[in-house]
Amino acid sequence: MTKVLITGGTQFVSKFAAEWFAVRGYEVYVLNRGTRKQVRGVKHICADRNNLQGKLENYFFDYVIDICAYTRADVQNLVENIGGFNTYLFISSSAVYPETNPQPFKEEQSVGLNKIWGNYGANKAEAEEYIKAHIKNYYILRPPYIYGEYQNLYRELFVFDCAEQNRKFYIPKDGKMKLQFLHVEDLCKFIEIVIQRQPQNRIFNVGNNEVCDINKYVELCYKAVGAPLETVFVKGNLNQRDYFCFYDYEYILDITLQNELMPDRIPLEEGIKREYVWYKNNENKINKKNYIEFIDENFTEK
């Protein structure tokens, strides 16, 4: 039985991954502080990854799937305190590409500070550099926006709320800013492909082939709810993050390498429908941002 350590295991991507791999017969260990309910079928190692106090020194894993590392120190503290592992699989981010790079972003491009993402992307890039310098067997995955069941960010969920309340939806500018997504299940599928095939490439952009704009994204969310959509286009210099769930930043990943190993992904429309079904039963677990309050206070049309 393949022995896997997943960092986290109690929220969104790491929770979905822990459940997904456990159901498929992997021996799954999760590393977290034990403040939330654990996924069924996993073995819990209760510790803070940056204060391990010997909790991992007697363990050897076939694969470490590091989903919750944000900095070089996060990775280094784990690597230096674990008994051993065969392969390290790091979930990085498309935020590592500076906004000045030519698009679509390709794996061989430089990484570093992106002024939109700030320290988040820069810290992920530093973590990547540590991995490449200190770990022999590694893979680095760089996803765009991840969505799907267990979502804990108020993105699709915000649009669902507007649809359920039969609200007009306020769209920045002309709504033609492009967005690229990846369903959390497709991320897990690709991780398993990497585990099984051990490809020569070490770094992969991962995302959907289909790219949609804001207009289409909102349309699909309202369609999942079954609500009519009426849009209002917001002009002017308002900060769109005050009333909308994405920054004013368009980027696209080149996913040629991913397609060679996994050509098919869950269509965005299907994935959003699945996410809404989950959300209907878990709405009370979400920390919501005050987009709707801002809209009601600042826009005359309701």
mmCIF file of all heavy atoms in Angstrom, residues 181-203:
data_model
loop_
_atom_site.group_PDB
_atom_site.id
_atom_site.type_symbol
_atom_site.label_atom_id
_atom_site.label_comp_id
_atom_site.label_asym_id
_atom_site.label_seq_id
_atom_site.Cartn_x
_atom_site.Cartn_y
_atom_site.Cartn_z
ATOM 1 N N PHE A 181 -9.571 28.083 -14.562
ATOM 2 C CA PHE A 181 -9.873 27.331 -13.356
ATOM 3 C C PHE A 181 -9.338 25.903 -13.445
ATOM 4 O O PHE A 181 -8.945 25.429 -14.511
ATOM 5 C CB PHE A 181 -11.390 27.269 -13.132
ATOM 6 C CG PHE A 181 -12.024 28.595 -12.824
ATOM 7 C CD1 PHE A 181 -12.512 29.403 -13.843
ATOM 8 C CD2 PHE A 181 -12.128 29.047 -11.519
ATOM 9 C CE1 PHE A 181 -13.098 30.630 -13.574
ATOM 10 C CE2 PHE A 181 -12.712 30.275 -11.233
ATOM 11 C CZ PHE A 181 -13.199 31.056 -12.270
ATOM 12 N N LEU A 182 -9.379 25.225 -12.303
ATOM 13 C CA LEU A 182 -9.125 23.791 -12.240
ATOM 14 C C LEU A 182 -9.953 23.224 -11.099
ATOM 15 O O LEU A 182 -9.905 23.734 -9.976
ATOM 16 C CB LEU A 182 -7.644 23.489 -11.996
ATOM 17 C CG LEU A 182 -7.288 21.997 -11.928
ATOM 18 C CD1 LEU A 182 -7.439 21.348 -13.309
ATOM 19 C CD2 LEU A 182 -5.884 21.781 -11.390
ATOM 20 N N HIS A 183 -10.729 22.181 -11.399
ATOM 21 C CA HIS A 183 -11.522 21.548 -10.344
ATOM 22 C C HIS A 183 -10.592 20.791 -9.410
ATOM 23 O O HIS A 183 -9.619 20.170 -9.837
ATOM 24 C CB HIS A 183 -12.557 20.600 -10.952
ATOM 25 C CG HIS A 183 -13.616 20.172 -9.982
ATOM 26 N ND1 HIS A 183 -13.409 19.177 -9.059
ATOM 27 C CD2 HIS A 183 -14.890 20.617 -9.787
ATOM 28 C CE1 HIS A 183 -14.504 19.021 -8.340
ATOM 29 N NE2 HIS A 183 -15.420 19.893 -8.758
ATOM 30 N N VAL A 184 -10.903 20.832 -8.123
ATOM 31 C CA VAL A 184 -10.052 20.194 -7.122
ATOM 32 C C VAL A 184 -9.891 18.696 -7.385
ATOM 33 O O VAL A 184 -8.831 18.111 -7.128
ATOM 34 C CB VAL A 184 -10.608 20.471 -5.705
ATOM 35 C CG1 VAL A 184 -12.011 19.883 -5.520
ATOM 36 C CG2 VAL A 184 -9.648 19.956 -4.635
ATOM 37 N N GLU A 185 -10.910 18.051 -7.948
ATOM 38 C CA GLU A 185 -10.777 16.631 -8.266
ATOM 39 C C GLU A 185 -9.776 16.407 -9.393
ATOM 40 O O GLU A 185 -9.022 15.430 -9.372
ATOM 41 C CB GLU A 185 -12.132 16.030 -8.647
ATOM 42 C CG GLU A 185 -12.059 14.535 -8.937
ATOM 43 C CD GLU A 185 -13.411 13.918 -9.216
ATOM 44 O OE1 GLU A 185 -14.376 14.226 -8.477
ATOM 45 O OE2 GLU A 185 -13.514 13.141 -10.186
ATOM 46 N N ASP A 186 -9.759 17.295 -10.362
ATOM 47 C CA ASP A 186 -8.784 17.170 -11.445
ATOM 48 C C ASP A 186 -7.365 17.361 -10.926
ATOM 49 O O ASP A 186 -6.420 16.736 -11.433
ATOM 50 C CB ASP A 186 -9.083 18.172 -12.557
ATOM 51 C CG ASP A 186 -10.264 17.752 -13.422
ATOM 52 O OD1 ASP A 186 -10.476 16.535 -13.569
ATOM 53 O OD2 ASP A 186 -10.964 18.629 -13.943
ATOM 54 N N LEU A 187 -7.188 18.225 -9.941
ATOM 55 C CA LEU A 187 -5.871 18.364 -9.328
ATOM 56 C C LEU A 187 -5.437 17.045 -8.704
ATOM 57 O O LEU A 187 -4.298 16.600 -8.897
ATOM 58 C CB LEU A 187 -5.898 19.465 -8.265
ATOM 59 C CG LEU A 187 -4.591 19.672 -7.494
ATOM 60 C CD1 LEU A 187 -3.468 20.120 -8.419
ATOM 61 C CD2 LEU A 187 -4.789 20.679 -6.361
ATOM 62 N N CYS A 188 -6.351 16.388 -7.984
ATOM 63 C CA CYS A 188 -6.036 15.098 -7.368
ATOM 64 C C CYS A 188 -5.748 14.035 -8.423
ATOM 65 O O CYS A 188 -4.823 13.217 -8.261
ATOM 66 C CB CYS A 188 -7.186 14.651 -6.475
ATOM 67 S SG CYS A 188 -7.401 15.680 -4.999
ATOM 68 N N LYS A 189 -6.516 14.041 -9.494
ATOM 69 C CA LYS A 189 -6.276 13.078 -10.571
ATOM 70 C C LYS A 189 -4.882 13.267 -11.167
ATOM 71 O O LYS A 189 -4.186 12.288 -11.463
ATOM 72 C CB LYS A 189 -7.337 13.237 -11.669
ATOM 73 C CG LYS A 189 -8.718 12.741 -11.292
ATOM 74 C CD LYS A 189 -9.697 12.981 -12.441
ATOM 75 C CE LYS A 189 -11.094 12.491 -12.094
ATOM 76 N NZ LYS A 189 -12.064 12.788 -13.194
ATOM 77 N N PHE A 190 -4.490 14.515 -11.333
ATOM 78 C CA PHE A 190 -3.174 14.753 -11.920
ATOM 79 C C PHE A 190 -2.066 14.354 -10.950
ATOM 80 O O PHE A 190 -1.027 13.821 -11.370
ATOM 81 C CB PHE A 190 -3.014 16.209 -12.342
ATOM 82 C CG PHE A 190 -1.798 16.432 -13.187
ATOM 83 C CD1 PHE A 190 -1.768 16.015 -14.508
ATOM 84 C CD2 PHE A 190 -0.670 17.033 -12.659
ATOM 85 C CE1 PHE A 190 -0.638 16.192 -15.288
ATOM 86 C CE2 PHE A 190 0.469 17.217 -13.435
ATOM 87 C CZ PHE A 190 0.483 16.796 -14.752
ATOM 88 N N ILE A 191 -2.263 14.608 -9.668
ATOM 89 C CA ILE A 191 -1.289 14.152 -8.677
ATOM 90 C C ILE A 191 -1.107 12.644 -8.778
ATOM 91 O O ILE A 191 0.024 12.137 -8.759
ATOM 92 C CB ILE A 191 -1.730 14.554 -7.251
ATOM 93 C CG1 ILE A 191 -1.674 16.071 -7.074
ATOM 94 C CG2 ILE A 191 -0.857 13.863 -6.205
ATOM 95 C CD1 ILE A 191 -2.286 16.561 -5.782
ATOM 96 N N GLU A 192 -2.210 11.917 -8.900
ATOM 97 C CA GLU A 192 -2.109 10.460 -8.992
ATOM 98 C C GLU A 192 -1.400 10.037 -10.282
ATOM 99 O O GLU A 192 -0.618 9.072 -10.285
ATOM 100 C CB GLU A 192 -3.485 9.812 -8.913
ATOM 101 C CG GLU A 192 -3.396 8.291 -8.882
ATOM 102 C CD GLU A 192 -4.717 7.618 -8.608
ATOM 103 O OE1 GLU A 192 -5.722 8.014 -9.225
ATOM 104 O OE2 GLU A 192 -4.751 6.693 -7.780
ATOM 105 N N ILE A 193 -1.655 10.732 -11.382
ATOM 106 C CA ILE A 193 -0.962 10.431 -12.631
ATOM 107 C C ILE A 193 0.548 10.608 -12.456
ATOM 108 O O ILE A 193 1.353 9.783 -12.904
ATOM 109 C CB ILE A 193 -1.493 11.319 -13.765
ATOM 110 C CG1 ILE A 193 -2.894 10.855 -14.189
ATOM 111 C CG2 ILE A 193 -0.557 11.301 -14.971
ATOM 112 C CD1 ILE A 193 -3.596 11.781 -15.153
ATOM 113 N N VAL A 194 0.938 11.672 -11.788
ATOM 114 C CA VAL A 194 2.356 11.916 -11.528
ATOM 115 C C VAL A 194 2.938 10.798 -10.667
ATOM 116 O O VAL A 194 4.036 10.290 -10.927
ATOM 117 C CB VAL A 194 2.550 13.289 -10.859
ATOM 118 C CG1 VAL A 194 3.975 13.440 -10.329
ATOM 119 C CG2 VAL A 194 2.234 14.407 -11.845
ATOM 120 N N ILE A 195 2.198 10.380 -9.653
ATOM 121 C CA ILE A 195 2.652 9.294 -8.790
ATOM 122 C C ILE A 195 2.841 8.006 -9.589
ATOM 123 O O ILE A 195 3.834 7.288 -9.430
ATOM 124 C CB ILE A 195 1.647 9.076 -7.638
ATOM 125 C CG1 ILE A 195 1.740 10.233 -6.634
ATOM 126 C CG2 ILE A 195 1.875 7.740 -6.936
ATOM 127 C CD1 ILE A 195 0.674 10.201 -5.552
ATOM 128 N N GLN A 196 1.907 7.708 -10.451
ATOM 129 C CA GLN A 196 1.939 6.449 -11.187
ATOM 130 C C GLN A 196 2.953 6.449 -12.327
ATOM 131 O O GLN A 196 3.593 5.429 -12.604
ATOM 132 C CB GLN A 196 0.543 6.135 -11.727
ATOM 133 C CG GLN A 196 -0.473 5.818 -10.640
ATOM 134 C CD GLN A 196 -1.879 5.646 -11.176
ATOM 135 O OE1 GLN A 196 -2.188 6.037 -12.311
ATOM 136 N NE2 GLN A 196 -2.762 5.077 -10.376
ATOM 137 N N ARG A 197 3.134 7.585 -12.985
ATOM 138 C CA ARG A 197 3.966 7.617 -14.187
ATOM 139 C C ARG A 197 5.372 8.180 -13.962
ATOM 140 O O ARG A 197 6.255 7.952 -14.784
ATOM 141 C CB ARG A 197 3.266 8.419 -15.284
ATOM 142 C CG ARG A 197 1.928 7.846 -15.700
ATOM 143 C CD ARG A 197 1.430 8.535 -16.959
ATOM 144 N NE ARG A 197 0.052 8.179 -17.269
ATOM 145 C CZ ARG A 197 -0.615 8.640 -18.329
ATOM 146 N NH1 ARG A 197 -0.016 9.460 -19.182
ATOM 147 N NH2 ARG A 197 -1.872 8.284 -18.531
ATOM 148 N N GLN A 198 5.551 8.933 -12.883
ATOM 149 C CA GLN A 198 6.859 9.531 -12.603
ATOM 150 C C GLN A 198 7.443 10.218 -13.854
ATOM 151 O O GLN A 198 8.499 9.833 -14.362
ATOM 152 C CB GLN A 198 7.820 8.448 -12.098
ATOM 153 C CG GLN A 198 7.444 7.861 -10.750
ATOM 154 C CD GLN A 198 7.674 8.838 -9.601
ATOM 155 O OE1 GLN A 198 8.783 9.288 -9.368
ATOM 156 N NE2 GLN A 198 6.608 9.145 -8.879
ATOM 157 N N PRO A 199 6.772 11.228 -14.379
ATOM 158 C CA PRO A 199 7.219 11.859 -15.624
ATOM 159 C C PRO A 199 8.576 12.540 -15.475
ATOM 160 O O PRO A 199 9.004 12.882 -14.371
ATOM 161 C CB PRO A 199 6.120 12.888 -15.908
ATOM 162 C CG PRO A 199 5.495 13.161 -14.574
ATOM 163 C CD PRO A 199 5.558 11.877 -13.829
ATOM 164 N N GLN A 200 9.208 12.749 -16.605
ATOM 165 C CA GLN A 200 10.527 13.376 -16.612
ATOM 166 C C GLN A 200 10.443 14.846 -16.214
ATOM 167 O O GLN A 200 11.303 15.355 -15.495
ATOM 168 C CB GLN A 200 11.173 13.240 -17.992
ATOM 169 C CG GLN A 200 12.580 13.804 -18.081
ATOM 170 C CD GLN A 200 13.204 13.576 -19.444
ATOM 171 O OE1 GLN A 200 12.613 12.953 -20.326
ATOM 172 N NE2 GLN A 200 14.406 14.090 -19.630
ATOM 173 N N ASN A 201 9.433 15.544 -16.699
ATOM 174 C CA ASN A 201 9.251 16.944 -16.315
ATOM 175 C C ASN A 201 8.961 17.040 -14.830
ATOM 176 O O ASN A 201 8.220 16.208 -14.280
ATOM 177 C CB ASN A 201 8.103 17.569 -17.101
ATOM 178 C CG ASN A 201 8.402 17.659 -18.579
ATOM 179 O OD1 ASN A 201 9.454 18.135 -18.976
ATOM 180 N ND2 ASN A 201 7.486 17.182 -19.408
ATOM 181 N N ARG A 202 9.521 18.042 -14.199
ATOM 182 C CA ARG A 202 9.361 18.203 -12.756
ATOM 183 C C ARG A 202 8.378 19.311 -12.374
ATOM 184 O O ARG A 202 7.905 19.344 -11.241
ATOM 185 C CB ARG A 202 10.722 18.500 -12.118
ATOM 186 C CG ARG A 202 11.708 17.354 -12.248
ATOM 187 C CD ARG A 202 11.301 16.197 -11.368
ATOM 188 N NE ARG A 202 12.109 14.994 -11.621
ATOM 189 C CZ ARG A 202 12.034 13.896 -10.886
ATOM 190 N NH1 ARG A 202 11.191 13.843 -9.879
ATOM 191 N NH2 ARG A 202 12.760 12.845 -11.181
ATOM 192 N N ILE A 203 8.092 20.208 -13.288
ATOM 193 C CA ILE A 203 7.202 21.334 -12.992
ATOM 194 C C ILE A 203 6.079 21.356 -14.026
ATOM 195 O O ILE A 203 6.331 21.261 -15.228
ATOM 196 C CB ILE A 203 7.971 22.670 -13.022
ATOM 197 C CG1 ILE A 203 9.125 22.634 -12.012
ATOM 198 C CG2 ILE A 203 7.034 23.838 -12.721
ATOM 199 C CD1 ILE A 203 10.008 23.868 -12.041
#
